[in-house]
């Protein structure tokens, strides 16, 4: 079962990752990373062994960055366009629109359809498209379109062998608006140096449900400090897994719960990202935390306390020169250099500019070599 594979892969990383908890100010960077134990928000009654909804058999292999709809668009109850001979018994008025019997209007936030049944009778139809499907409106047409709730935006769709990343919507007004945000995140991933081989092991899904809320508040207390913002991890993880087979999830918020310049917050297995930040490398940065277990490389302005673990992409000891590798990587990564400051002021990072450093207009989209090899490759080696 996939759920056991997920636990086998990610639990060894969690033990190390949870030792890296920090509490930082929201004004330091567009990328604020405060991690806490996912279990803090998980109810004991949550089941993580749901029945997965498999995608249809695919006969074509898609390269990373290509998109695919899980199922062909289905048009419900096609009817001829209204002609002058149609009578009141065949039509309905909905605001300024005249609908023909069988046509309707989809409320994409609630997944309900107001269907014309003739004689000017509009009837509300909940879950009109059936289980695992959602209604969508069409431009210049009143016919209702039904599509799969899980829309593949990158990858092949094979949920058994790929790492499945599921994007969840919060406070978006339409599916098109949400999908546009997801596609911006995919584009940012393809700009990085993860490359086709690594990205080829990842599926990215857009879960088309606009009626969910995950945000819980700001400055949330945890046993190891304060988290700048928090969300219902248990709800998001269970929904992403049970609906689209998600190993990792991203919650995309339509800028309704912003705090200062924060573009995203990440914990292990989960990230919460604001819509305005999709013009920057926010998605791959936060996935560096949530999926590869990487640490921030910008400065928190404080030294690490004794016993603090440095993390995958940071080193506890520097070298004699910034052009000389840190002792941690000297044997394996001789060209990385060693720069003083990796989150904490007394840790060190590779000298090359990295996506795990500060964000903004001139931010790098590339991961440094230790992040790629010791972070991403260690996780993705379990997938094909």
């Amino acid at each position: 079962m996939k759920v056991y594979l997920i636990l086998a892969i990610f639990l060894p990383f969690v033990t190390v990752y949870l030792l890296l908890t920090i509490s930082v100010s929201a004004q330091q960077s567009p990328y604020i990373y405060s991690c806490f134990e996912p279990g803090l928000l998980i109810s004991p009654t949550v089941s993580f062994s749901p029945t997965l909804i498999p995608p249809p058999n695919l006969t074509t292999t898609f390269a990373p960055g290509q998109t695919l709809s899980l199922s062909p668009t289905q048009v419900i109850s096609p009817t001829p366009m209204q002609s002058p001979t149609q009578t009141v018994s065949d039509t309905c008025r909905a605001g300024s629109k005249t609908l023909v019997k069988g046509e309707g209007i989809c409320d994409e936030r609630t997944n309900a359809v107001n269907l014309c049944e003739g004689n000017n009778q509009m009837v509300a139809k909940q879950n009109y498209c059936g289980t695992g499907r959602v209604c969508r409106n069409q431009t210049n047409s009143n016919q209702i379109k039904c599509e799969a709730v899980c829309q593949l935006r990158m990858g092949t769709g094979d949920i058994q062998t790929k790492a499945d990343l599921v994007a969840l919507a919060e406070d978006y007004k339409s599916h098109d608006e949400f999908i546009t945000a997801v596609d911006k995140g995919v584009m940012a991933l393809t700009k990085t140096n993860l490359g086709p081989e690594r990205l080829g092991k990842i599926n990215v899904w857009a879960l088309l449900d606009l009626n969910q809320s995950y945000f819980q508040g700001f400055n949330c207390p945890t046993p190891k400090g304060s988290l700048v913002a928090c969300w219902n991890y248990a709800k998001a993880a269970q929904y992403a897994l049970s609906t689209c087979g998600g190993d990792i999830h991203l919650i995309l918020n339509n800028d309704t719960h912003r705090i200062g310049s924060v573009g995203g917050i990440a914990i292990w297995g989960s990230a919460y990202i604001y819509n305005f930040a999709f013009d920057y490398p926010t998605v791959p940065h936060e996935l560096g935390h949530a999926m590869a277990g990487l640490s921030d490389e910008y400065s928190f302005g404080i030294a690490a306390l004794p016993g603090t673990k440095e993390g995958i992409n940071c080193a506890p000891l520097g070298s004699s020169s910034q052009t000389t590798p840190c002792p941690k990587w000297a044997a394996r990564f001789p060209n990385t250099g060693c720069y003083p400051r990796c989150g904490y002021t007394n840790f060190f990072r590779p000298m090359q500019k990295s996506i795990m450093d500060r964000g903004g207009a001139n931010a790098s989209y590339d991961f440094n070599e230790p992040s790629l090899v010791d972070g991403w490759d260690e996780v993705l080696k379990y997938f094909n």
Side-chain angles (χ1 to χ4, degrees):
M1 294 295 293
K2 184 171 186 179
V3 66
Y4 298 118
L5 176 61
I6 295 169
L7 292 174
I9 294 170
F10 291 108
L11 279 180
F13 290 92
V14 173
T15 303
V16 174
Y17 191 74
L18 292 179
L19 296 174
L20 307 180
T21 303
I22 56 174
S23 177
V24 295
S25 165
Q27 280 70 44
Q28 287 178 316
S29 167
Y31 302 133
I32 299 301
Y33 169 46
S34 299
C35 70
F36 62 93
E37 296 187 32
L40 292 173
L41 297 180
I42 296 180
S43 166
T45 61
V46 173
S47 171
F48 284 87
S49 300
T51 300
L52 301 182
I53 301 175
N57 292 328
L58 302 177
T59 58
T60 304
T61 300
F62 291 82
Q66 289 185 291
T67 61
L68 172 70
S69 174
L70 276 184
S71 61
T73 297
Q74 178 184 357
V75 177
I76 302 299
S77 303
T79 57
M81 294 183 63
Q82 184 178 1
S83 68
T85 60
Q86 288 174 325
T87 64
V88 173
S89 63
D90 298 321
T91 62
C92 304
R93 292 289 296 175
S96 61
K97 293 183 177 181
T98 298
L99 278 65
V100 176
K101 186 176 181 179
E103 295 180 335
I105 299 173
C106 168
D107 183 342
E108 294 187 348
R109 286 189 61 85
T110 62
N111 196 30
V113 171
N114 282 326
L115 191 69
C116 174
E117 295 193 346
N119 290 314
N120 208 30
Q121 296 296 310
M122 297 290 291
V123 179
K125 302 282 187 179
Q126 292 291 332
N127 198 25
Y128 175 76
C129 293
T131 303
R133 302 179 71 78
V134 295
C135 65
R136 296 187 67 180
N137 292 309
Q138 300 188 78
T139 304
N140 300 322
S141 173
N142 295 320
Q143 293 181 351
I144 297 299
K145 181 169 61 172
C146 289
E147 293 187 349
V149 68
C150 299
Q151 294 285 310
L152 186 65
R153 309 311 297 173
M154 185 183 88
T156 66
D158 182 354
I159 66 172
Q160 299 302 323
T161 64
K162 306 297 181 184
D164 290 287
L165 170 63
V166 177
L168 305 170
E170 185 176 61
D171 295 337
Y172 284 87
K173 297 177 181 178
S174 71
H175 293 314
D176 284 344
E177 184 182 37
F178 172 58
I179 288 174
T180 296
V182 177
D183 288 346
K184 282 187 176 182
V186 169
M187 184 177 297
L189 278 173
T190 62
K191 287 182 178 180
T192 70
N193 60 343
L194 287 173
E197 183 176 353
R198 294 184 183 93
L199 291 177
K201 297 181 177 184
I202 302 172
N203 291 324
V204 178
W205 304 88
L207 199 165
L208 301 188
D209 186 344
L210 306 181
N211 199 33
Q212 300 297 323
S213 180
Y214 306 95
F215 182 77
Q216 292 186 318
F218 297 113
N219 299 318
C220 307
T222 77
K224 297 183 180 180
S226 176
L227 190 69
V228 67
C230 56
W231 57 96
N232 193 328
Y233 174 94
K235 175 182 177 180
Q238 193 272 343
Y239 194 31
L241 177 61
S242 63
T243 308
C244 302
D247 303 307
I248 304 291
H249 63 267
L250 301 178
I251 300 168
L252 310 188
N253 174 267
N254 198 19
D255 292 344
T256 56
H257 299 298
R258 282 186 59 179
I259 177 168
S261 62
V262 177
I265 311 104
I267 61 173
W268 183 258
S270 178
Y272 192 93
I273 301 177
Y274 296 99
N275 192 74
F276 82 95
F278 284 106
D279 292 328
Y280 306 103
T282 311
V283 167
H285 174 99
E286 299 302 347
L287 283 179
H289 297 311
M291 196 167 180
L294 303 178
S295 300
D296 278 316
E297 295 176 5
Y298 58 80
S299 177
F300 305 149
I302 57 174
L305 296 175
T308 302
K309 299 295 183 180
E310 74 274 11
I312 293 171
N313 52 322
C314 298
L317 299 174
S319 61
S320 58
S321 168
Q322 291 186 17
T323 59
T324 303
C326 300
K328 179 177 179 178
W329 300 305
R332 295 187 302 130
F333 309 121
N335 299 316
T336 59
C338 190
Y339 187 82
R341 181 260 291 165
C342 192
Y344 294 105
T345 56
N346 53 339
F347 285 162
F348 299 81
R349 65 170 176 81
M351 187 174 176
Q352 291 86 347
K353 188 173 176 62
S354 165
I355 194 173
M356 301 311 294
D357 204 338
R358 285 188 178 274
N362 297 317
S364 172
Y365 276 81
D366 287 344
F367 294 92
N368 55 44
E369 197 170 10
S371 296
L372 288 173
V373 177
D374 293 342
W376 283 103
D377 288 348
E378 280 300 303
V379 170
L380 293 176
K381 70 182 181 182
Y382 296 98
F383 301 94
N384 298 317

